Amino acid sequence: MESSSRQQPSESSRRNGRVVVVGGGVAGSLVAKTLQFTADVTLVDPKEYFEIPWASLRSMVEPAFGERSVINHRDYLTNGRIVTSRAVDITNTEVLTAEGRRITYDYLVIAAGHDHPMPSTKAGKLREYEAELQRIEAARSILIIGGGPVGVELAGEIVTDFPEKKITLVHSGSRLLEFIGPKASRKALKWLRLKGVDVKLDQAVDLSSISSSSAEAGPRTYNTSTQESIEADCHFLCTGKPVASEWLKETQLLKDSLDLDGRLIVDQFMRVKGQDNIYAIGDITNVREIKQGYVAQKHAEVASKNLKLLMEGGRESKMAIYVPQTKKKIVSLGRRDAVAQFSHTTVIGLVPGLIKSKDLFVSKTRKLLGLRPDVVYS
């Protein structure tokens, strides 16, 4: 069901134009917050909150962590509208929601991210974390499927807080963390194995073949592509999620602006191909770079600067240019350690852990949204 906040933009922000932001994730929330006193901003998102995604795995083993990392949109967007619904169509002047509401725009920012079901309220998301913790606590053995950053970080969180659990991580690739260099992959693999995690590479898990000793509970048997059997009480699927662009393929306006992977093609200003007033930011773009949260924040910064410039009558020749991010990659390994790849070196342990793993950039992200790092607003 669609809902809308009562907060109305100020008169000064209305004069500069109407900006509709589709998607309230890392990039969309930052653009909405940044422009709320410059433009008449409407945020369209199927949930009432922004979840700091890279903090979600810590919240699975420590649900109280989610009190700071799950932020209601109304806490940072104090001078704009929030429409809790899903966008289903776009024209050159309007966004149509699932309930049939039409929202007029002068500028549109698409930050839809990935498509996966999530609770619509913060309370619901916190209950989901509690349920995940109960699954972990009840299990003696846990299977993690996927050896990208999500799978590796989840294994690190669980083995740090529950070292007595038998954890198996299965990855279809020849090495973990294939988005970074082989040296970092080897260091992460060594760290996990030293902690007792059984890592199996070059294998896939057939989830359709799961068998259980009981219809209700108990160990389940999982078969891999190499005919190996793995017993575990529960599993966590940590493979990639699809980009949230299926709905765009049905639009007359933007269906030809998608690449073969379903990502929106953007120029150096973060504008969508063939459009003067439509921008795309975050994971839904075709920018050739690692898809991580700090990169989405950089997208948001460039798009916000350019939208402000244009709304205030600036020339296009003065627009900010986005430079793809390639230098820094950090993967947390529990509460203290991390593996980091910089331009000229790769390190693992406490030093990179101090950069990311203790707070997971939650305080920094809250500050970007204009919120105190240590205060839960709602």
Side-chain angles (χ1 to χ4, degrees):
M1 180 179 293
E2 179 181 285
S3 64
S4 179
S5 74
R6 296 181 182 179
Q7 181 69 48
Q8 297 298 313
S10 65
E11 187 62 35
S12 60
S13 64
R14 286 195 185 100
R15 289 197 295 267
N16 283 336
R18 297 160 295 190
V19 176
V20 175
V21 181
V22 176
V26 176
S29 62
L30 186 53
V31 164
K33 179 265 177 186
T34 304
L35 296 179
Q36 63 179 321
F37 294 104
T38 302
D40 181 347
V41 173
T42 301
L43 175 65
V44 180
D45 192 53
K47 51 187 175 36
E48 298 176 358
Y49 60 89
F50 159 53
E51 176 193 26
I52 300 175
W54 54 87
S56 63
L57 303 175
R58 176 70 51 80
S59 299
M60 288 172 61
V61 297
E62 183 189 343
F65 197 78
E67 292 284 356
R68 292 171 55 241
S69 63
V70 180
I71 303 165
N72 278 318
H73 293 315
R74 66 173 179 268
D75 290 341
Y76 65 86
L77 189 58
T78 59
N79 191 50
R81 300 179 187 86
I82 303 164
V83 176
T84 307
S85 185
R86 187 177 295 275
V88 296
D89 198 6
I90 292 171
T91 71
N92 56 8
T93 59
E94 294 179 321
V95 173
L96 178 67
T97 71
E99 289 74 21
R101 180 172 179 173
R102 294 184 178 274
I103 307 169
T104 304
Y105 69 86
D106 299 303
Y107 295 94
L108 174 63
V109 181
I110 302 175
H114 292 276
D115 192 16
H116 57 105
M118 295 180 70
S120 61
T121 66
K122 176 176 179 176
K125 186 62 187 177
L126 295 179
R127 286 194 296 271
E128 185 176 85
Y129 289 147
E130 292 282 359
E132 298 287 27
L133 175 60
Q134 290 175 13
R135 287 180 66 201
I136 293 169
E137 289 178 331
R140 289 177 296 179
S141 54
I142 298 168
L143 171 63
I144 296 173
I145 302 169
V150 176
V152 169
E153 290 192 346
L154 179 58
E157 294 290 345
I158 296 175
V159 78
T160 298
D161 281 22
F162 302 94
E164 76 282 3
K165 306 290 183 184
K166 176 175 170 45
I167 302 170
T168 303
L169 188 153
V170 177
H171 182 53
S172 60
S174 60
R175 63 184 179 91
L176 300 175
L177 304 173
E178 290 163 293
F179 71 99
I180 58 179
K183 187 174 181 180
S185 295
R186 291 193 297 271
K187 287 179 178 291
L189 176 63
K190 182 179 179 181
W191 187 93
L192 288 171
R193 285 179 169 165
L194 285 173
K195 296 290 184 180
V197 178
D198 184 8
V199 180
K200 300 178 184 296
L201 301 174
D202 290 312
Q203 296 188 53
V205 176
D206 181 7
L207 292 177
S208 65
S209 68
I210 301 172
S211 63
S212 176
S213 61
S214 162
E216 297 296 326
R220 299 173 181 177
T221 300
Y222 300 80
N223 295 323
T224 75
S225 54
T226 60
Q227 308 307 313
E228 185 174 351
S229 295
I230 301 169
E231 279 202 354
D233 295 317
C234 68
H235 76 272
F236 292 95
L237 185 62
C238 300
T239 53
K241 300 179 179 69
V243 178
S245 63
E246 281 299 314
W247 63 288
L248 291 170
K249 296 176 183 178
E250 305 300 321
T251 67
Q252 290 298 314
L253 186 64
L254 295 181
K255 65 180 182 180
D256 294 327
S257 299
L258 297 164
D259 68 9
L260 295 177
D261 296 319
R263 300 184 188 273
L264 283 166
I265 302 169
V266 295
D267 62 17
Q268 70 268 36
F269 308 121
M270 304 310 295
R271 286 186 308 197
V272 174
K273 171 188 174 184
Q275 305 295 327
D276 292 328
N277 64 335
I278 301 179
Y279 290 70
I281 53 178
D283 288 356
I284 202 168
T285 68
N286 75 320
V287 181
R288 295 179 65 83
E289 62 189 353
I290 180 176
K291 303 299 183 182
Q292 284 195 317
Y294 82 95
V295 172
Q297 290 171 342
K298 296 294 185 183
H299 290 190
E301 290 170 8
V302 169
S304 297
K305 286 179 182 178
N306 290 336
L307 286 164
K308 279 185 177 182
L309 177 75
L310 295 176
M311 286 187 288
E312 293 171 356
R315 292 180 296 171
E316 185 171 312
S317 60
K318 300 293 185 180
M319 290 174 69
I321 293 175
Y322 179 72
V323 178
Q325 306 293 303
T326 59
K327 294 182 179 179
K328 180 178 69 174
K329 303 176 180 72
I330 305 178
V331 176
S332 64
L333 298 169
R335 295 176 183 270
R336 300 178 61 192
D337 295 337
V339 60
Q341 178 179 296
F342 301 108
S343 298
H344 303 293
T345 188
T346 298
V347 292
I348 191 170
L350 293 175
V351 173
L354 288 172
I355 299 174
K356 179 180 180 181
S357 298
K358 183 177 180 180
D359 185 60
L360 298 175
F361 303 131
V362 170
S363 294
K364 180 180 179 181
T365 304
R366 290 179 65 88
K367 288 179 182 178
L368 282 175
L369 292 175
L371 302 175
R372 287 179 57 181
D374 57 341
V375 175
V376 177
Y377 288 73
S378 55

